């Protein structure tokens, strides 16, 4: 993601220079808040894997590698929009209108850009695990129309990783699996999918909770008193935890946004309960999940079933 952002920046710079018909020796500076991306751009592209190599090559073709510098994340004006800011604050922000202050004083405030040898070796051997701070999704969930299929595909990916670890490490104590999935594998795959979706949609909330801070009052999750469980899943808190009757999942439902995974869960439960009504479907899902906008999703499936029934009856008659 950081390398793609740098490519867009390099293309934009090339376009502006061409549109303004600037001399080739016109000075310019490029910035990224990723120290790893800076090392990719300033190094020989041939030492990286194909994805990074191709993008580093394009950046070096469009720009001079030495013109790239690191911009600390706290001084990056692009982060102001992604992290939430009011219009009034934005219009009166010198950082947004003029950029970081050190750009005006010949970069005298930039940090030292040399990479730690251990981090350099990690990036060289496996750049993708270091390049992205959040979760890396290797599966496009939008392709699947069934929850069971999505879980099994992720299950195969996780099994491949486990088997690969065993083949590369003689001390790896797990037995190589080639047969059908067991319940634990399917549950692990399902947990992995939920974590990916949560981290993609509630990254700010998860970051705050991991640092021991309260969720922002403007967040959709603020009133849910969320917390992170031992598996890394975002769950609902609140006074239900005092109940001695409800199960753990009922007291602390898993939080999910209104997304494709939520639709798959509703569809699965709707079929499992033989196309039940909205209230029953809503109640059954709430025992395990707290989905934002769940009622509208349930109504959508219930309405679709009624439409299909009407069409069938009308065709028969």
């Amino acid at each position: 993601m950081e390398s793609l952002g740098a490519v867009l920046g390099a293309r934009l710079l090339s376009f502006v220079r061409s549109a303004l018909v600037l001399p080739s020796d016109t000075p310019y500076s490029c910035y990224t808040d990723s120290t790893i991306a800076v090392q990719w751009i300033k190094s020989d592209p041939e030492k990286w894997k194909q994805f990074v190599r191709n993008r580093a090559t394009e950046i070096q073709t469009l720009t001079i590698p030495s013109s790239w510098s690191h911009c600390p994340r706290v001084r990056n004006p692009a982060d102001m929009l992604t992290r939430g800011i009011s219009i009034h604050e934005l219009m009166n922000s010198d950082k947004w209108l003029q950029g970081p202050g050190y750009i005006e004083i010949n970069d005298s405030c930039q940090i030292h850009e040399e990479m730690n040898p251990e981090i350099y070796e990690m990036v060289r051997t496996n750049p993708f695990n270091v390049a992205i701070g959040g979760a890396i999704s290797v599966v496009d969930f939008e392709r699947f129309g069934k929850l069971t299929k999505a879980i099994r595909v992720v299950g195969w990916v996780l099994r491949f990783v486990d088997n690969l670890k065993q083949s590369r490490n003689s001390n790896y104590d797990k037995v190589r699996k080639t047969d059908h999935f067991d319940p634990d594998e399917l549950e692990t795959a399902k947990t992995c999918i939920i974590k990916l979706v949560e981290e993609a949609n509630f990254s700010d909330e998860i970051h705050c909770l991991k640092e021991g801070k309260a969720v922002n009052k403007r967040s959709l999750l603020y009133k849910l008193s969320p917390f992170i469980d031992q598996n890394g899943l975002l769950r609902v808190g609140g006074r239900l935890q005092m109940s001695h009757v409800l199960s753990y999942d009922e007291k602390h439902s898993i939080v999910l946004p209104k997304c494709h995974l939520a639709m798959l869960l509703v569809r699965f439960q709707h079929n499992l309960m033989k196309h039940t009504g909205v209230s029953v479907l809503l109640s059954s899902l709430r025992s395990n999940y707290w989905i934002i906008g769940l009622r509208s999703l349930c109504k959508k499936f219930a309405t679709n079933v009624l439409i299909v029934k009407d069409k069938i009856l009308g065709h028969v008659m």
Side-chain angles (χ1 to χ4, degrees):
M1 291 174 64
E2 299 289 359
S3 62
L4 290 174
V7 168
L8 288 176
R11 290 174 181 172
L12 179 61
L13 174 64
S14 177
F15 174 79
V16 171
R17 294 180 65 192
S18 175
L20 298 179
V21 197
L22 297 175
S24 58
D25 59 348
T26 301
Y28 59 86
S29 297
C30 305
Y31 297 89
T32 173
D33 61 6
S34 169
T35 55
I36 295 173
V38 172
Q39 295 299 321
W40 285 340
I41 296 169
K42 293 188 175 183
S43 303
D44 180 9
E46 295 302 320
K47 68 175 62 174
W48 311 119
K49 292 186 178 180
Q50 184 176 2
F51 185 92
V52 174
R53 181 173 66 244
N54 292 342
R55 280 141 190 84
T57 300
E58 181 177 354
I59 293 171
Q60 292 181 1
T61 302
L62 296 174
T63 63
I64 302 173
S66 60
S67 66
W68 284 85
S69 302
H70 176 262
C71 173
R73 190 173 298 274
V74 295
R75 297 181 179 179
N76 183 6
D79 276 1
M80 297 177 67
L81 291 182
T82 59
R83 299 181 185 279
I85 187 173
S86 67
I87 295 296
H88 178 74
E89 292 176 313
L90 191 66
M91 292 177 64
N92 293 278
S93 171
D94 292 336
K95 183 169 69 173
W96 174 256
L97 297 174
Q98 302 173 11
Y102 60 76
I103 292 180
E104 301 176 1
I105 51 177
N106 299 322
D107 299 341
S108 61
C109 296
Q110 288 197 69
I111 64 171
H112 187 54
E113 292 181 358
E114 279 204 29
M115 187 181 290
N116 184 295
E118 295 181 1
I119 300 179
Y120 179 86
E121 179 63 20
M122 191 185 303
V123 174
R124 186 187 68 80
T125 56
N126 198 354
F128 297 106
N129 286 345
V130 184
I132 303 176
I136 305 174
S137 177
V138 296
V139 179
D140 181 13
F141 302 114
E142 301 291 332
R143 296 173 51 196
F144 305 116
K146 292 184 178 181
L147 177 66
T148 52
K149 185 172 183 179
I151 291 175
R152 293 182 70 83
V153 169
V154 175
W156 281 116
V157 173
L158 295 178
R159 176 178 285 187
F160 170 77
V161 173
D162 282 343
N163 289 339
L164 190 63
K165 287 180 180 179
Q166 183 184 5
S167 62
R168 297 182 64 179
N169 186 0
S170 58
N171 297 324
Y172 198 63
D173 56 358
K174 287 189 176 181
V175 179
R176 185 182 180 89
K177 294 182 179 180
T178 56
D179 53 355
H180 298 293
F181 289 110
D182 58 44
D184 289 339
E185 284 184 292
L186 295 176
E187 187 63 28
T188 300
K190 187 177 180 180
T191 300
C192 180
I193 295 175
I194 294 173
K195 285 179 66 176
L196 287 171
V197 172
E198 287 183 339
E199 292 178 7
N201 291 272
F202 302 125
S203 58
D204 291 339
E205 289 83 353
I206 293 175
H207 178 72
C208 289
L209 292 173
K210 285 184 176 180
E211 290 191 347
K213 300 178 182 178
V215 174
N216 192 301
K217 291 185 178 180
R218 290 180 291 181
S219 171
L220 293 173
L221 309 185
Y222 176 72
K223 294 183 179 180
L224 301 179
S225 302
F227 70 96
I228 300 175
D229 68 4
Q230 60 183 2
N231 294 321
L233 296 178
L234 196 61
R235 290 181 177 269
V236 175
R239 290 176 291 179
L240 282 179
Q241 63 183 330
M242 307 302 294
S243 172
H244 299 290
V245 178
L246 300 176
S247 65
Y248 181 80
D249 287 335
E250 290 173 324
K251 291 188 290 185
H252 305 294
S253 304
I254 297 172
V255 181
L256 283 174
K258 189 176 182 179
C259 59
H260 186 71
L261 175 61
M263 186 195 71
L264 295 183
L265 285 167
V266 174
R267 177 178 294 168
F268 175 81
Q269 195 68 16
H270 193 239
N271 293 332
L272 181 67
M273 303 189 71
K274 308 302 180 185
H275 310 294
T276 185
V278 175
S279 298
V280 178
L281 180 60
L282 187 67
S283 177
S284 62
L285 285 165
R286 281 275 170 82
S287 62
N288 291 283
Y289 305 98
W290 186 276
I291 301 174
I292 308 298
L294 177 58
R295 184 175 293 276
S296 62
L297 284 175
C298 293
K299 285 183 178 180
K300 175 182 176 181
F301 279 90
T303 303
N304 288 342
V305 169
L306 290 176
I307 293 174
V308 172
K309 285 183 178 179
D310 290 341
K311 287 183 178 180
I312 294 174
L313 291 174
H315 179 73
V316 172
M317 294 181 67

